[in-house]
Amino acid sequence: MKFSFALAVLVATSASASDQLRSTVRRHIPRSTKDCARAAYFITNEPDGNFIIGSDIGADGKLTFKHATFAGGQGAHAITNPIGADALISQGVIQTAGNNVFTVNPGSNTIAMFSIDPEDPTNLQMVGQPVSTGGEFPVSVAISEQSGQVCVLNGGKVNGVNCFKQDPHLGLVQMPNTQRSLNVNQTTPPHGPPGTVSQVIFNNDGTQLLASVKGVPPVGGFIASWAVDPTSGSLSADFIKSGSPQGGGLPFSMTLIPGTDAILATDPGGGYDIFDFKTSQEASSTAFPIPGQVATCWSSLSNKTGNYYLTDVVTSIITEVNVDSNLKGTIVKQYPQGNGTGTIDSNIASIDGNDYLYVLTPGALSVMVLSLDAPGQTTPVQQFSFQDAVSKAGVKTSTTNPQGMAVFLGH
């Protein structure tokens, strides 16, 4: 098995110190009246205070910083050597659903729910208080489209999943019979990237909860799946393990393949894998290489192009992939983003028939914005440098801790 992910790091640089804040920080910038309400979010994930950075998405796809909202706890960084840009070694640390944002505080072992102001979606208000995740070092969040059930993935010494229901006044409320262990031998913070958890998602119809776990070469990783009770939301007592295919071994992000029971999982052990759950809760899987990749770990799907966009933190290359009806993957094109930028979490926003790809690049303290014009065709739109604006708002950022990418599109 090819394994170069342990080298997937960027050199850390220090950011200027700032006061620890415990309230919403707002820097108001006038909004064009013709703009619809749209926003993009990521977290600073700093150990002395974790903030949600909210930016306007304009009609042209460009970002403008608006608000920084205290997430209610502390950030944290996994133990890697040397310290890398992917602090949580995961995907899905911040998510949106309906008019709410959900994220975790990895250093405080909590998860929090925020309501979105429909007039200004960068203006977030915490609902209730942060609640314990029931484990240590939470790194990923999933929300069921069918039920609204919120599940979190813990990646520290106490690892596994735990689920909550949404309450408009109390925030997140623990659901019975949903806390389940992955039994991964880890520490808090976890040592990695090998041997760490990666992401939690629901499958297309909400009947399964999936969690990806990286292997420790030569032992491969796996996808864990729990059955979800359609009435109570409780999880099966034990998970079914679907092992990584030959040529893979480090399943990272998971992106659903529409119209199927399959997922595309990035895999820095070689490129990406496709797991197919069509005939069994134990999936069959196939590995697809990306020549020259080092740490392909994050993925997003464009409804406009029908293709997947995979990012590599070391090469800073975005790889566009097509998956056909037979679940065969093919590389369409690659898009270098500049050495050292460190392309990690991504998401896609559809605006007036155009798809825009947002990629967090901690190495450059920026977000890359690309227009997805057609299969194999992208146009650079913006390199949104957020450091100065966020610093002026009194919030600390660094090149090693920012994580996540979520978008909200006004209803």
Side-chain angles (χ1 to χ4, degrees):
M1 177 190 304
K2 178 181 177 182
F3 177 65
S4 53
F5 191 37
L7 300 179
V9 293
L10 297 174
V11 177
T13 60
S14 60
S16 60
S18 61
D19 293 336
Q20 183 174 357
L21 302 180
R22 287 298 179 266
S23 61
T24 299
V25 178
R26 299 177 182 176
R27 177 172 176 261
H28 292 282
I29 297 176
R31 172 192 290 279
S32 169
T33 56
K34 67 181 181 181
D35 282 350
C36 295
R38 296 175 290 260
Y41 315 93
F42 63 89
I43 61 171
T44 62
N45 188 41
E46 290 293 329
D48 55 357
N50 182 28
F51 284 79
I52 301 171
I53 302 302
S55 300
D56 269 341
I57 300 177
D60 56 1
K62 292 183 179 179
L63 299 177
T64 304
F65 169 71
K66 283 292 293 293
H67 291 161
T69 303
F70 181 52
Q74 298 173 324
H77 200 294
I79 299 172
T80 58
N81 185 22
I83 298 296
D86 180 20
L88 304 180
I89 323 178
S90 70
Q91 176 164 296
V93 69
I94 184 168
Q95 301 281 11
T96 61
N99 287 320
N100 295 306
V101 171
F102 306 86
T103 195
V104 296
N105 296 292
S108 302
N109 303 325
T110 60
I111 182 171
M113 171 179 168
F114 299 81
S115 64
I116 296 172
D117 180 347
E119 297 299 321
D120 178 4
T122 67
N123 183 19
L124 306 177
Q125 298 294 328
M126 186 181 293
V127 183
Q129 296 295 321
V131 297
S132 171
T133 62
E136 297 173 354
F137 204 80
V139 298
S140 185
V141 180
I143 302 98
S144 169
E145 291 186 5
Q146 289 75 20
S147 67
Q149 182 172 344
V150 179
C151 295
V152 63
L153 176 64
N154 291 299
K157 182 177 181 180
V158 182
N159 52 75
V161 297
N162 199 9
C163 300
F164 306 83
K165 66 177 181 180
Q166 302 178 39
D167 185 281
H169 304 292
L170 300 176
L172 295 173
V173 178
Q174 168 74 47
M175 295 178 65
N177 299 315
T178 62
Q179 186 166 6
R180 300 291 184 259
S181 177
L182 278 164
N183 302 309
V184 175
N185 184 18
Q186 263 298 349
T187 58
T188 302
H191 287 72
T196 58
V197 305
S198 304
Q199 187 174 10
V200 61
I201 65 171
F202 285 90
N203 68 347
N204 276 315
D205 62 8
T207 59
Q208 293 183 46
L209 183 70
L210 311 176
S212 49
V213 181
K214 309 174 198 72
V216 180
V219 178
F222 60 92
I223 305 294
S225 61
W226 291 268
V228 181
D229 186 279
T231 302
S232 66
S234 63
L235 305 181
S236 55
D238 300 307
F239 63 83
I240 302 296
K241 181 186 290 188
S242 299
S244 295
Q246 184 176 359
L250 299 161
F252 204 110
S253 70
M254 296 182 289
T255 301
L256 298 171
I257 300 176
T260 74
D261 295 309
I263 60 167
L264 182 150
T266 53
D267 191 328
Y272 62 99
D273 311 322
I274 292 179
F275 290 79
D276 187 6
F277 294 87
K278 181 178 182 179
T279 59
S280 171
Q281 196 175 345
E282 181 177 356
S284 59
S285 57
T286 306
F288 296 88
I290 298 177
Q293 77 89 39
V294 180
T296 303
C297 301
W298 299 267
S299 53
S300 294
L301 169 65
S302 166
N303 291 326
K304 178 179 178 179
T305 69
N307 290 339
Y308 300 79
Y309 296 82
L310 285 52
T311 59
D312 186 321
V313 65
V314 173
T315 65
S316 297
I317 290 175
I318 300 170
T319 299
E320 181 179 354
V321 168
N322 175 264
V323 178
D324 67 18
S325 59
N326 295 315
L327 299 181
K328 179 182 178 182
T330 304
I331 295 175
V332 177
K333 196 171 182 178
Q334 293 186 303
Y335 310 97
Q337 298 302 299
N339 292 336
T341 56
T343 50
I344 59 170
D345 298 91
S346 67
N347 214 314
I348 293 173
S350 297
I351 303 172
D352 296 329
N354 299 311
D355 273 12
Y356 295 93
L357 175 67
Y358 299 88
V359 182
L360 182 62
T361 52
L365 290 170
S366 65
V367 177
M368 299 296 188
V369 184
L370 294 88
S371 174
L372 306 179
D373 304 321
Q377 298 179 27
T378 69
T379 301
V381 171
Q382 180 189 26
Q383 181 173 352
F384 169 58
S385 298
F386 55 78
Q387 182 180 23
D388 288 347
V390 171
S391 179
K392 288 177 182 177
V395 175
K396 178 182 177 181
T397 57
S398 67
T399 58
T400 56
N401 287 319
Q403 194 84 66
M405 183 58 62
V407 297
F408 170 84
L409 305 176
H411 304 299

